[in-house]
Amino acid sequence: MLASVPSRPTFKRLPRAVREQQMLDAAVRVFARRGFHAASMDEIADEAGISKPMVYAYLGSKDDLFRACVNQEGTRLLESIVAVVRDDLPADEQLWRGLRGFFGFVGAHREGWAVLYRQASGRQPFAADIAALRGRIVEVVAGMLGRAVLASGGTEAREPDLTASAYALVGAAESVADWLADHPEADPDHSAARLMNFTWLGARQLLQGELWQPSSA
Amino acid sequence: MLASVPSRPTFKRLPRAVREQQMLDAAVRVFARRGFHAASMDEIADEAGISKPMVYAYLGSKDDLFRACVNQEGTRLLESIVAVVRDDLPADEQLWRGLRGFFGFVGAHREGWAVLYRQASGRQPFAADIAALRGRIVEVVAGMLGRAVLASGGTEAREPDLTASAYALVGAAESVADWLADHPEADPDHSAARLMNFTWLGARQLLQGELWQPSSA
């Protein structure tokens, strides 16, 4: 009788993907807290509630693990922006949604932000990954600004001007995000609105062809 | 007779300050080129035309030397901004001068910028120095924006709003500067004008009380 066959013991084994995710999330927390150098595989294993050999077996060396953290958080960051921006919206709505998505990510994943911006951006070879991630975001923003110029009846903007404006906007957003990461009491939407006001009003004037000119040389 | 007394041999010894400056400038070039880890004291000594023991004797370990480079370039950067900003000028002129000073520094000291922004900002304990330097610049900019609000007849701006705007402006400037450092053919004044247009037109609207409001929630 089947009912009398002893069932296989239930090991409560988690699927590999779930285990890996636990390890990665634990690693992000430890890297954010300690910095790359001071973070130990022991502490990461403790944080994940998993043995150290299993961390090595699943995700490799500390360098491998850090790279996996950077990739995960970078992908989450990029997705939080592109998931909410729709090409058919007016430029200011696109920018607003993109900024809310970005600051929403930072507010909800302060540790991920710390790993990306504070740990990885100054450390080779990860700095190159971060520069590439920033480059992709700059391209998205430059494209959006270019469409906005055309939609507002302007002639096609020069590509270097769009790129420089996109770098300015992305840099401003990073800087405010880093402030936000240190102020858990702050509202991410409030930061998005501040930045929107700081940049959009100026961008709109630019789109309308207004230019600031120095009164002296 | 005094004239017949043999003069002391002239050793062409350079004053210590000049020697140190040569070593520091050489070190900045090597750190910018190689990154902190790959930079060797041998290469720095070669670049300075000085023996390695003398580099150690004058400036200490590689860590000490790097710290001296960060301090020197950070001081130069700060001076290039505050030297040209005058409190008695209108806010837009102050901002314009500050931006020109900043981009002028980056254009003339691309290697110093690389050390500060790309090497030191992600490396403890130097990251804390860079954060402190950025904090001082943010304070200068926030103060300037606050005076501009008052001068344009506005009520006293809330300090968190000024600080956030200053972070946005400083971050935008850093991002465009980093682009500039990779484009030796670009004109620093052109970058300053681009950023001025991008931020000032918006800041002016803000100072005049205009606010961007989302049309949807």
Side-chain angles (χ1 to χ4, degrees):
Chain A
M1 278 164 64
L2 276 175
S4 68
V5 174
S7 64
R8 285 157 65 196
T10 56
F11 276 119
K12 289 206 179 178
R13 281 185 59 177
L14 293 171
R16 181 180 172 113
V18 175
R19 273 255 193 272
E20 283 193 0
Q21 191 59 58
Q22 284 180 344
M23 290 183 212
L24 275 180
D25 290 341
V28 167
R29 288 194 295 275
V30 174
F31 283 130
R33 195 157 64 216
R34 300 277 183 217
F36 178 82
H37 271 303
S40 72
M41 293 298 264
D42 282 318
E43 186 172 356
I44 292 168
D46 274 358
E47 179 91 19
I50 286 171
S51 72
K52 190 162 74 165
M54 197 179 278
V55 176
Y56 278 109
Y58 270 47
L59 290 164
S61 68
K62 191 164 100 169
D63 264 329
D64 295 333
L65 188 53
F66 187 73
R67 177 178 293 279
C69 289
V70 169
N71 284 344
Q72 169 177 278
E73 299 304 316
T75 303
R76 281 182 176 167
L77 168 61
L78 200 59
E79 285 176 351
S80 69
I81 299 172
V82 297
V84 293
V85 174
R86 287 192 353 230
D87 276 6
D88 58 326
L89 292 171
D92 60 339
E93 281 293 322
Q94 288 185 44
L95 182 55
W96 171 237
R97 281 167 167 251
L99 287 172
R100 283 185 77 190
F102 173 64
F103 287 111
F105 166 84
V106 176
H109 301 277
R110 290 171 205 274
E111 288 148 334
W113 174 259
V115 166
L116 287 175
Y117 190 73
R118 297 181 189 174
Q119 309 292 332
S121 67
R123 178 177 309 286
Q124 289 301 350
F126 308 106
D129 298 338
I130 299 297
L133 174 65
R134 182 182 288 121
R136 286 201 295 281
I137 296 176
V138 163
E139 270 178 34
V140 169
V141 172
M144 196 201 69
L145 292 176
R147 288 192 300 276
V149 172
L150 291 176
S152 65
T155 53
E156 201 159 338
R158 290 177 58 244
E159 192 273 335
D161 285 327
L162 289 176
T163 302
S165 295
Y167 268 107
L169 177 55
V170 168
E174 286 181 4
S175 182
V176 174
D178 206 46
W179 175 90
L180 178 67
D182 278 340
H183 292 78
E185 75 289 358
D187 177 359
D189 273 1
H190 197 168
S191 291
R194 275 200 186 112
L195 194 60
M196 190 71 197
N197 271 297
F198 195 69
T199 60
W200 176 251
L201 296 174
R204 193 190 56 190
Q205 305 295 106
L206 266 184
L207 295 181
Q208 292 171 352
E210 189 178 349
L211 282 177
W212 179 87
Q213 302 278 3
S215 60
S216 61
Chain B
M1 282 165 60
L2 275 175
S4 68
V5 174
S7 65
R8 287 159 63 198
T10 56
F11 275 121
K12 288 206 176 175
R13 281 184 59 177
L14 293 171
R16 180 179 173 113
V18 175
R19 272 256 192 270
E20 283 194 359
Q21 191 59 57
Q22 285 180 342
M23 291 183 210
L24 274 179
D25 290 340
V28 167
R29 288 194 295 274
V30 174
F31 283 130
R33 195 157 65 214
R34 301 275 184 220
F36 177 82
H37 271 302
S40 73
M41 293 297 265
D42 282 317
E43 187 172 355
I44 291 169
D46 274 357
E47 178 92 18
I50 286 171
S51 72
K52 191 161 74 168
M54 197 178 277
V55 175
Y56 279 108
Y58 270 46
L59 290 163
S61 68
K62 190 164 102 169
D63 264 329
D64 295 334
L65 188 52
F66 188 73
R67 177 178 295 279
C69 289
V70 169
N71 285 344
Q72 168 178 276
E73 298 304 317
T75 303
R76 281 182 176 167
L77 169 60
L78 200 60
E79 284 175 352
S80 69
I81 300 172
V82 296
V84 292
V85 175
R86 289 195 348 235
D87 276 8
D88 58 328
L89 293 171
D92 61 340
E93 281 294 322
Q94 289 186 44
L95 182 55
W96 171 237
R97 283 166 166 251
L99 287 173
R100 283 185 78 190
F102 173 63
F103 287 110
F105 166 84
V106 176
H109 300 278
R110 290 169 204 274
E111 289 147 333
W113 174 258
V115 166
L116 286 176
Y117 190 73
R118 298 181 188 174
Q119 308 292 334
S121 67
R123 178 178 310 284
Q124 290 300 351
F126 308 106
D129 298 338
I130 300 296
L133 174 66
R134 181 182 288 119
R136 285 201 296 280
I137 296 175
V138 164
E139 270 177 36
V140 169
V141 172
M144 197 200 68
L145 292 176
R147 288 192 299 275
V149 172
L150 291 176
S152 64
T155 52
E156 200 158 340
R158 291 177 56 244
E159 192 274 335
D161 286 326
L162 290 177
T163 302
S165 294
Y167 267 107
L169 177 55
V170 168
E174 286 181 4
S175 182
V176 173
D178 206 46
W179 174 90
L180 178 67
D182 278 341
H183 292 78
E185 76 287 359
D187 177 0
D189 274 0
H190 197 168
S191 291
R194 274 199 187 112
L195 195 59
M196 190 71 197
N197 271 297
F198 196 71
T199 59
W200 176 252
L201 295 174
R204 192 190 56 191
Q205 303 296 107
L206 266 183
L207 296 181
Q208 292 171 351
E210 190 179 346
L211 282 175
W212 179 89
Q213 301 278 2
S215 61
S216 61

